[in-house]
Amino acid sequence: MDNTITADVTPLFRTFPFGEKTLRNRLVMSPMTRQYSPGGVPGANMAGYYRRRAEGGVGLIVTEGTCIDHPGSNGYVNVPAFHGQKALDEWKRIADEVHLAGARIIPQLWHVGAIRRPGMEPDPAVPGHGPVEVIENGRVVVKAMSRSDIRDVVESYARAAADAQRIGFDGIEIHGAHEYLIDSFLWDVTNQRDDEYGGDIEGRLRLAREVVAAVRAAVTRDFPIVFRFSQWKIRDYEARIARSPDELRRILLPLAQAGVDIFDVSTRRFYEPAFEGSPDSLAAWARRLSGKPVITVGSVGLSKAYAIAQLRGNEDASAQRAELSLVCGQVRSGAVDLVALGRALLADPEWPSKIRENRQSEINDVDRAALKTAV
Ligand SMILES: Cc1cc2nc3c(=O)[nH]c(=O)nc-3n(C[C@H](O)[C@H](O)[C@H](O)COP(=O)(O)O)c2cc1C
């Protein structure tokens, strides 16, 4: 395969406004879970890990998913918390180091919802929390959330956002994608509630809207709120929360009105058409329908799409460099605003600098070891 990268990359290196601050370029580090935070406290290597990506030239870092202070928010071992003095002290240090290297940084605020199972840290007795009850082997493993559970989660998101601003982050990202809590309310396959949090799109969107509004009220107006959403789910890459542009508009406009500043549109292949009859990507549609800036993501600069099976070792994780002219053209034309990189930045923290300095041939390929990087 010819991996020569001949694109004019200058659009990627134009600045972009971010609240009252500025991003030095259009390149974003996509949120990536690492599981190197025993006891929920960001581990010793973490500041160096993020600082290296900042030094490598990325404009904005979205941290790995980090748990809000609701008891059911965590679903995996050694994931960092975004609450408690110790964890927040470490997060502040990470943000400070990233700033010294010239990048901006926002935490991805996470509640895993029904993905959690009893036995998981921090309190093994706590089940998953989701739109509806889930019973496995005669045991309730996911609790159907009551109105008061929902209120607790909404307030927990707001507290995390206020903490992020207090300790010096540049904004926050709400994880509303990939079948985790907020997305599981949005998706009609996982949400069969018959109260005001279920039913039609407006009902299924209510939790997301309440979270955004509570976060908006907890931070200053100029503090950017990024909202990540996706069509794809952990268990179903073909899933849809919006089957048409009109359904997408009914999801995004209320979120924009509630306070979202930027949509992070999570796709596995940024170039794929979102709906029949148009070549436009989901990110391009989201921009047009919401009137808000968007982040595009998914196989940018890489020959193969991300899949969960690659993390679990059931699928070959290797990926090679790919051409950048399409994504550069999308930024140049204004179809999208920002471009996120996931695996490419794990394999090579210096990806942005190498692209900018025309050193593409020096970029590291992605492999399974890169997906597990501790550094
Ligand atoms: C190791 C790994 C961990 C990830 N963890 C998260 C996460 O915590 N939150 C999230 O929204 N997406 C997560 N993702 C998805 C990425 O943010 C990104 O959307 C995906 O990798 C596609 O981008 P890429 O093709 O540039 O890798 C993860 C991806 C990888 C490879």
Side-chain angles (χ1 to χ4, degrees):
M1 185 169 92
D2 179 14
N3 279 334
T4 319
I5 300 175
T6 52
D8 169 13
V9 297
T10 47
L12 301 180
F13 294 96
R14 298 203 177 107
T15 60
F16 194 74
F18 196 66
E20 290 198 326
K21 299 173 181 170
T22 302
L23 305 181
R24 62 184 166 185
N25 61 45
R26 305 300 181 93
L27 297 172
V28 178
M29 180 172 179
S30 208
M32 282 176 288
T33 290
R34 306 180 60 236
Q35 301 186 275
Y36 290 111
S37 300
V41 178
N45 292 331
M46 216 146 117
Y49 164 85
Y50 284 115
R51 192 193 61 238
R52 266 186 284 286
R53 272 75 195 174
E55 287 168 349
V58 77
L60 173 67
I61 289 172
V62 186
T63 73
E64 63 208 271
T66 173
C67 295
I68 61 172
D69 68 3
H70 183 263
S73 65
N74 178 37
Y76 305 96
V77 291
N78 294 339
V79 162
F82 204 79
H83 55 88
Q85 191 67 42
K86 262 190 172 165
L88 291 179
D89 284 350
E90 283 305 308
W91 277 119
K92 178 175 178 351
R93 205 160 64 82
I94 291 164
D96 290 348
E97 292 214 24
V98 164
H99 287 152
L100 284 174
R104 302 288 175 198
I105 180 166
I106 63 177
Q108 187 190 44
L109 302 180
W110 196 15
H111 189 301
V112 303
I115 300 299
R116 179 185 172 86
R117 287 292 174 272
M120 182 50 59
E121 53 196 55
D123 179 351
V126 175
H129 285 63
V132 295
E133 187 176 79
V134 178
I135 296 177
E136 284 171 4
N137 302 324
R139 187 168 73 130
V140 175
V141 291
V142 175
K143 177 183 188 225
M145 290 174 75
S146 64
R147 288 190 179 84
S148 104
D149 291 328
I150 289 175
R151 200 167 48 242
D152 288 347
V153 164
V154 169
E155 287 170 3
S156 178
Y157 264 106
R159 269 194 302 278
D163 282 340
Q165 183 162 40
R166 182 172 55 77
I167 65 176
F169 279 84
D170 301 298
I172 58 105
E173 173 164 294
I174 296 168
H175 195 340
H178 308 166
E179 206 182 324
Y180 295 110
L181 182 70
I182 291 174
D183 193 33
S184 72
F185 272 74
L186 267 171
W187 194 28
D188 54 11
V189 170
T190 37
N191 184 349
Q192 278 109 30
R193 292 175 76 102
D194 52 16
D195 66 358
E196 68 273 26
Y197 290 93
D200 57 9
I201 286 185
E202 286 67 31
R204 299 199 306 274
L205 185 65
R206 186 178 301 271
L207 171 64
R209 260 201 306 120
E210 289 183 358
V211 168
V212 172
V215 165
R216 186 76 280 162
V219 297
T220 58
R221 186 65 197 95
D222 57 359
F223 192 68
I225 298 176
V226 182
F227 188 95
R228 180 168 248 219
F229 74 95
S230 67
Q231 301 269 39
W232 69 268
K233 314 297 167 217
I234 295 170
R235 75 168 99 155
D236 183 0
Y237 291 151
E238 305 309 318
R240 295 283 173 267
I241 52 169
R243 292 187 178 78
S244 64
D246 181 57
E247 289 191 352
L248 188 61
R249 185 183 51 76
R250 285 164 61 196
I251 293 171
L252 299 186
L253 264 190
L255 293 178
Q257 280 155 6
V260 171
D261 297 297
I262 298 177
F263 287 102
D264 178 1
V265 185
S266 174
T267 57
R268 295 173 56 243
R269 298 176 187 86
F270 78 95
Y271 48 83
E272 271 182 357
F275 302 110
E276 249 174 55
S278 159
D280 290 347
S281 69
L282 191 64
W285 275 107
R287 189 180 203 290
R288 187 164 342 113
L289 295 168
S290 71
K292 296 291 180 185
V294 294
I295 303 173
T296 195
V297 65
S299 309
V300 172
L302 286 178
S303 63
K304 193 166 82 187
Y306 164 68
I308 307 277
Q310 294 163 10
L311 285 185
R312 297 181 179 151
N314 314 325
E315 186 182 305
D316 178 17
S318 57
Q320 283 78 45
R321 268 187 298 128
E323 232 269 333
L324 291 173
S325 47
L326 187 62
V327 80
C328 292
Q330 290 185 353
V331 175
R332 190 184 312 109
S333 73
V336 301
D337 303 278
L338 299 163
V339 174
L341 302 151
R343 294 162 294 153
L345 277 175
L346 292 180
D348 199 335
E350 289 184 72
W351 194 97
S353 303
K354 288 180 179 175
I355 290 290
R356 184 172 201 169
E357 294 158 12
N358 206 18
R359 295 192 286 137
Q360 289 89 349
S361 61
E362 297 173 30
I363 289 175
N364 305 334
D365 285 339
V366 172
D367 57 18
R368 184 156 154 72
L371 297 194
K372 298 259 167 206
T373 188
V375 295

